[in-house]
Amino acid sequence: MDKEKYQKIVDKNCPKENVGINAVKSFLVGGFMGILGQLLLDIYTTLLDIPTKEASTYMIITLIFVGSLFTALGFFDKWVSWANCGLIVPITGFAHAMTSAAIEYRKEGFVLGLGANIFKLTGSVILYGVVSAYFFGLIRVLLFGG
Amino acid sequence: MIYLRAFLVAGTICTIGQLILDNTKLTPGHITALFVVCGAFLDIFNLYDKLVIFAGGGALVPITSFGHLLIHGALENSVKYGITGLAMGMFDLTASGITSAIVIAFILSLIFKPKD
C-alpha cells in the first residue's frame, strides 16, 4: 500500500474533534480562569491589603498550587481532556504538566526518574521563554534603550 | 467591568490556542511554548503591558504572561547593568512561580502514586 492511500485511511478513521464545541468550551473555561485570577487579585489586594504587584505573584502561586493538587488527586486529567486549551493555556496547564511528569517518573528513581524528567513537558516553555525573552529584550535595549 | 474584560481576554487567548490545536498537528506542548514566545514578543512594544492594565487577571493567568514577566525581569536589570543585566534579571519576576511549581510538584510526587 502506498503512503497516500495509507494516509487517507488514517484520516478517515481518526476520531473527528468537534472544532466549534471545543472552541466554545475553551472560551468559557479559559474566561472563567481569567475571572478567578482577577477575583483572587481583588481578594488579596482589598481583604488582605497586599500591594498589587505582590498580589499577582500570590495569585499565580495559588493557581499553581490548586492545579498541582488537583492533578495529584487524579481528577484534573479528566478536566483537561474535557476543556483542552481552556485549562492548558492558563498557568494551571504549566502546573499540571510539571506535577504529572513528577508523579509519573518518580517510580524510576529520584535522580534518573524524577530529577531527569520533571521538566519533560514544561522544559520547552522555560527554554523558549528564556531564549525569546533574551533576544527580544536585546532588540528592545538596542532599539529603545531598555 | 474588569471581570467582564478578564473573562473576554482570557477566553479569547484560550480559544486561539484551541483553534490552533484542532486545526493543525501541533500538540499542547507546542502551543504553550508558542504562547510564551508571543507574550515576550508583544512586550518589545509594551503591548502586553497594555493588555494587563486592560484585563488585569485575565491577562496574567494565561501562559503568555510568563513570557511577559521574563522579558520585564530582564529589562529591569538591563537598565542598571546594561546588556549583562538581561541575563541577571531574566528570572526575577518568574522565580516565585517556577520555584513554587517545582517545590509543590516534588512534594506531591512523594505523597501520591500515579493513577492509571
Side-chain angles (χ1 to χ4, degrees), chain A residues 17 19 22-23 26-28 30-35 37-39 41-42 53 56-57 59-61 63-65 68-69 72-74 83-86 88-91 94 98-99 102-104 106-107 110 114 118-119 124-126 128-130 132-134 136-142 144 146, chain B residues 2-3 6-8 10-15 17-19 21-23 28-29 31-33 35-37 40-41 43-46 55-58 60-63 66-67 69-72 75-76 78 83 86-87 90-91 93 96-98 100-102 104-106 108-110 112-115:
Chain A
E17 298 272 356
V19 177
N22 278 352
S26 299
F27 184 76
L28 293 177
F32 173 73
M33 293 303 298
I35 289 180
Q38 183 60 39
L39 191 69
L41 271 181
D42 282 350
K53 214 171 179 185
S56 65
T57 306
M59 180 268 281
I60 285 173
I61 293 175
L63 288 179
I64 286 175
F65 178 74
S68 296
L69 186 69
L73 290 171
N84 275 316
C85 277
I88 292 167
V89 170
I91 197 80
F94 184 81
M98 192 174 279
T99 311
I103 290 178
E104 197 169 326
R106 204 207 57 160
K107 62 177 183 291
F110 276 102
L114 179 59
I118 190 165
F119 289 111
S124 66
V125 171
I126 295 175
Y128 291 109
V130 168
S132 64
Y134 189 82
F136 293 147
L138 198 63
I139 290 170
R140 213 178 119 158
V141 169
L142 295 176
F144 311 113
Chain B
I2 184 79
Y3 286 96
F7 179 79
L8 291 176
T12 307
I13 293 172
C14 293
T15 312
Q18 186 63 43
L19 290 175
L21 185 72
D22 280 346
N23 292 310
I31 288 166
T32 45
F35 273 34
V36 171
V37 175
F41 177 76
D43 262 346
I44 299 179
F45 315 102
N46 271 342
L60 288 171
V61 167
I63 196 83
F66 190 75
L69 291 172
L70 281 174
I71 192 169
H72 276 287
L75 288 170
E76 263 173 38
S78 78
I83 286 175
L86 285 174
M90 182 62 75
F91 287 108
L93 301 172
S96 58
I98 296 175
S100 49
I102 293 171
I104 292 167
F106 180 75
L108 289 173
S109 79
L110 299 182
F112 291 92
K113 295 262 178 312
K115 302 224 171 18

